[in-house]
Amino acid sequence: MTPVNVAHLTAVGLAAGLTLERTLEFCASRGPEPARAELVAILRRAAQLGLAAAVLDHEGALGPFLTVLAGAIRAGAPQEPLIRAYAREARAAIVTDRITRARKLPAQLAIPLALLLLPGFVLMVMGPTVLAIAERMLLPLGAG
């Protein structure tokens, strides 16, 4: 589960009326292992230090999401709109990155195309013609 997915699931839980702690527990119980381990560690620390301190001190894959969450907690601002905004921005960044990589793909595939496909295509198409011409040219030499 990526930070964007955790953020989206957290926003849905908060919109449904769950507390932040309960929402994070739900995400920890449903997520794959890396996110689950991070969320469990945060919830354990939150029991000792408080949720804002536990979220702010944590570093890992969920770091950017947790920074937004900690800011909302400390400011006393509603968390759900901020989390949704973070998820939107993070998804937009992911889409932009994927589009950029897709635009580079033709240039990256030009070399394999030129070195592997085109020679094989030329041999398949022109090979029989070249063999037929060579056979016609060499056959009169062998008949004499």
Side-chain angles (χ1 to χ4, degrees):
M1 187 177 286
T2 65
V4 176
N5 293 342
V6 172
H8 183 69
L9 194 55
T10 303
V12 169
L14 291 173
L18 295 175
T19 63
L20 182 58
E21 292 85 3
R22 184 67 186 126
T23 301
L24 293 177
E25 288 173 7
F26 178 78
C27 290
S29 69
R30 299 293 192 269
E33 193 50 44
R36 180 183 303 166
E38 281 190 61
L39 289 171
V40 167
I42 290 168
L43 291 169
R44 284 188 187 143
R45 290 198 56 183
Q48 300 167 351
L49 304 174
L51 189 58
V55 166
L56 191 59
D57 290 342
H58 185 77
E59 292 182 11
L62 297 177
F65 162 66
L66 296 176
T67 301
V68 170
L69 189 58
I73 293 170
R74 287 194 175 197
Q79 293 121 9
E80 190 252 338
L82 292 174
I83 293 170
R84 284 197 189 273
Y86 163 77
R88 257 193 321 272
E89 290 173 8
R91 278 203 174 97
I94 290 169
V95 167
T96 302
D97 178 56
R98 289 181 181 168
I99 288 172
T100 302
R101 288 190 343 217
R103 286 186 177 150
K104 292 179 184 177
L105 199 56
Q108 293 171 345
L109 292 178
I111 293 173
L113 177 71
L115 295 178
L116 301 173
L117 282 175
L118 291 178
F121 181 73
V122 168
L123 285 176
M124 274 181 31
V125 171
M126 297 302 292
T129 306
V130 170
L131 287 176
I133 291 172
E135 189 176 273
R136 281 191 208 148
M137 291 175 71
L138 296 176
L139 190 59
L141 295 177

